[in-house]
């Protein structure tokens, strides 16, 4: 079975028979490509059946995380979403669907534009508070124009995004992170709480759970 | 601003130094235009046609009934396809769609007086002769003051500002019944009129709730109601309306902590603050907002919440 997480920018593909995992840009997926089941913002273009992204995230959390109580946050290029479980039961979820989003994409664009390597930048204490990634980029350019090093300005934006995400997820003591931004070391180290990193195929575990239940039903 | 033979045309004996460029401009559904006649403001028929915004107090509504007035709720009357155009060069893009809708409703009734856009009940009636606005800030929003000024200053329609201080709660049978959620919204609006017309109150049976909806009616897109089960109780301002106490803040603040609750508000509405605050206080609450219409993302977020709470 071919499972797909078709996000805004990247597609994560899992072949359940070979366990082969691939990542490619959504724009590079062939128009004829069809997964059996999938999730993500672009899924209706590329899969026969789809599962709600928060349901996939919740399923993935229950399957992958041993703790009964946890907060799992998925930060993609377009949006962020989280689920909270306590004693094995669902408690909360949220999804910053439009306004306040585009943080991941903005961070990637900013890095390319300023030609900076996030893995070589130290986390900052000061931070930029911004409603969304695009507004945040404007603040970064203002700081650079005021004489702040581009790396430091970008790191302050990332710190601001981390604090915003931490508050969005209701300030947990420990947070399980997934999504494209977990590959950004600066982002992970800027989070203001204990973090546990799950890989970017996490949502596909949730899709697999859904597919198994679907076939079993 | 109109120029003639090299000098500005001025009214009221003014001079260039205090010229107001807006005084020659008239507002239509296409925005501000120069010097258009406002003939649509005349009311040739004998029956008063009253637009209401918000929930006026009972005494005002009783007076309208006595006068045999035709009453049009400018909150609810829908002109979705027109909503952005009339207000495009008046209001910001990121702004409360409900306020845009109210203004678009007024403009569509007055400027586009034809059978296609009018509610069937009202076809052939007169243009609005008076608007009554309930502008108690606590009932509605701070922007009602702006809407009132706007109606008076730009639309030149007779305006009456009223405050609803009614505190006698009539009950919330519809809010806690098992009829479909979209019908609940409709019947609550109807209940308002039933009460003032002294018809027998509609009191459907109580059902145990599976979930709850808190907030104002989702005027922007009632299809959101289709995602909720019939066993959805209503809280917030809509419940206040059924009680005929729209300014009852104490009642508006109530929720059932034992039932998963969706706290809804119109995007860019000051009530979003209250909705978000209560959603965070509620053990199983979620805040959602909606601008002009329901988006795929909002539907996904809502259905996930209801599924994970085993509501649907």
């Amino acid at each position: 079975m071919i499972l797909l997480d078709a996000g805004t920018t990247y597609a994560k593909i899992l072949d359940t028979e070979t366990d082969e995992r691939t990542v490619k840009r959504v724009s590079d997926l062939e128009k004829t490509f069809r997964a059996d089941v999938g999730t993500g913002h672009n899924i209706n273009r590329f899969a026969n059946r789809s599962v709600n992204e928060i349901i996939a995230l919740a399923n993935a959390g229950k399957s992958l995380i041993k703790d009964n109580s946890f907060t799992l946050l998925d930060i993609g290029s377009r949006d962020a979403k989280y689920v909270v479980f306590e004693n094995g039961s669902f408690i909360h979820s949220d999804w910053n669907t439009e306004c306040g989003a585009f943080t991941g994409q903005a961070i990637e664009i900013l890095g390319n534009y300023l030609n900076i390597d996030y893995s070589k930048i130290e986390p900052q204490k000061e931070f930029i508070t911004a409603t969304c990634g695009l507004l945040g980029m404007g603040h970064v350019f203002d700081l650079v124009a005021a004489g702040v090093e581009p790396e430091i300005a970008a790191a302050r934006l990332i710190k601001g995004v981390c604090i915003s995400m931490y508050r969005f997820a209701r300030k947990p003591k420990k947070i399980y992170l997934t999504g494209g931004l977990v590959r950004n070391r600066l982002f992970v180290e800027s989070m203001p709480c204990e973090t546990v990193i799950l890989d970017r195929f996490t949502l596909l575990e949730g899709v697999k759970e859904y597919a198994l239940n679907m076939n079993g039903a | 601003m109109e120029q003639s033979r090299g000098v500005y045309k001025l009214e009221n004996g003014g001079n260039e130094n205090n010229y107001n460029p807006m005084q020659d401009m008239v507002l239509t559904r296409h925005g501000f235009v120069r010097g258009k006649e406002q003939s649509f403001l005349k009311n040739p028929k004998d029956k008063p046609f009253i637009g209401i915004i918000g929930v006026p107090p009972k005494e005002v509504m009783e007076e309208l009934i006595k006068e045999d007035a035709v009453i049009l709720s400018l909150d609810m009357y829908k002109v979705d396809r027109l909503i952005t155009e009339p207000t495009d060069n008046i209001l910001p893009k990121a702004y409360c769609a409900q306020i845009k809708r109210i203004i678009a409703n007024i403009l569509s009734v007055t400027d586009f007086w034809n059978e296609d856009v009018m509610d069937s009940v009202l076809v052939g009636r007169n243009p609005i002769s008076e608007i009554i606005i309930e502008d108690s800030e606590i009932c509605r929003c701070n922007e009602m003051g702006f809407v009132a000024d706007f109606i008076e200053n730009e639309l030149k329609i007779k305006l009456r500002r009223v405050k609803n201080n009614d505190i006698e709660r009539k009950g919330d049978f519809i809010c806690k019944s098992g009829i479909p959620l979209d019908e609940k919204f409709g019947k609550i609006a109807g209940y308002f009129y039933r009460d003032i017309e002294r018809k027998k109150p509609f009191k459907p049976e109580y059902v145990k709730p599976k979930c709850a909806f808190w907030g104002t009616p989702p005027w922007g897109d009632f299809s959101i109601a289709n995602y909720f089960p019939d066993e959805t109780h209503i809280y917030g301002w809509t419940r206040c309306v059924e009680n005929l106490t729209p300014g009852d803040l104490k009642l508006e603040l109530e929720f059932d902590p034992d039932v998963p609750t969706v706290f809804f508000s119109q995007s860019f509405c000051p009530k979003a603050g209250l909705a978000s605050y209560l959603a965070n206080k509620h053990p199983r609450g979620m805040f959602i907002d909606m601008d002009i219409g329901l988006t795929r993302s909002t539907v996904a977020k809502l259905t996930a919440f209801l599924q994970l709470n085993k509501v649907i």
Side-chain angles (χ1 to χ4, degrees), chain B residues 42-222:
Chain B
K42 293 174 186 168
N43 178 8
K45 302 276 178 65
D46 55 351
K47 223 173 204 180
F49 177 28
I50 309 297
I52 60 169
I53 302 170
V55 183
K58 195 173 177 182
E59 65 201 45
V60 173
M61 297 306 293
E62 283 175 344
E63 179 194 318
L64 295 181
I65 297 296
K66 269 186 198 168
E67 292 172 3
D68 199 22
V70 176
I71 303 168
L72 175 63
S73 170
L74 294 164
D75 288 306
M76 288 179 266
Y77 171 51
K78 293 183 76 175
V79 284
D80 284 349
R81 65 195 170 91
L82 301 174
I83 188 169
T84 54
E85 191 193 349
T87 58
D88 262 358
N89 50 6
I90 306 164
L91 302 171
K93 290 269 184 284
Y95 188 69
C96 175
Q98 185 56 19
I99 302 286
K100 287 183 179 178
R101 181 171 293 104
I102 288 169
I103 292 174
N105 280 342
I106 299 167
L107 292 171
S108 70
V109 171
T110 54
D111 200 23
F112 264 66
W113 186 253
N114 61 55
E115 291 191 2
D116 290 334
V117 295
M118 286 304 297
D119 186 292
S120 58
V121 176
L122 298 162
V123 168
R125 298 287 187 188
N126 305 331
I128 296 173
S129 50
E130 182 182 14
I131 290 177
I132 297 173
I133 186 165
E134 202 292 313
D135 73 341
S136 308
E137 288 175 1
I138 200 160
C139 301
R140 299 283 298 163
C141 69
N142 295 335
E143 291 300 280
M144 279 301 129
F146 158 70
V147 172
D149 291 343
F150 185 82
I151 291 167
E152 269 188 324
N153 298 334
E154 301 296 346
L155 303 177
K156 313 276 194 298
I157 297 174
K158 186 180 170 190
L159 181 80
R160 197 171 0 150
R161 297 167 192 250
V162 296
K163 303 217 181 284
N164 191 334
N165 296 315
D166 293 345
I167 51 166
E168 187 191 343
R169 294 177 185 172
K170 296 284 184 183
D172 52 6
F173 300 96
I174 300 171
C175 287
K176 293 183 175 170
S177 72
I179 59 178
L181 185 58
D182 58 344
E183 283 184 38
K184 283 189 179 94
F185 290 126
K187 287 193 183 299
I188 286 168
Y191 184 74
F192 171 60
Y193 291 100
R194 290 182 81 87
D195 185 76
I196 56 176
E197 290 173 358
R198 302 198 186 290
K199 289 182 181 170
K200 190 181 171 189
F202 181 60
K203 292 184 177 177
E205 278 188 24
Y206 172 90
V207 295
K208 193 177 175 198
K210 285 184 178 172
C211 68
F213 175 99
W214 181 102
T216 59
W219 283 295
D221 192 343
F222 278 95

Side-chain angles (χ1 to χ4, degrees), chain A residues 82-134:
Chain A
Y82 74 87
V83 290
V84 180
F85 279 77
E86 276 180 22
N87 300 319
S89 297
F90 168 78
I91 299 294
H92 285 296
S93 67
D94 206 348
W95 191 348
N96 70 347
T97 50
E98 271 111 17
C99 204
F102 287 100
T103 45
Q105 204 168 48
I107 287 171
E108 186 173 329
I109 291 168
L110 188 69
N112 291 335
Y113 182 79
L114 296 174
N115 194 26
I116 54 179
D117 182 352
Y118 287 121
S119 67
K120 293 178 180 167
I121 305 172
E122 288 302 309
Q124 297 294 300
K125 283 185 179 170
E126 288 185 56
F127 61 91
I128 293 169
T129 304
T131 310
C132 75
L134 296 177

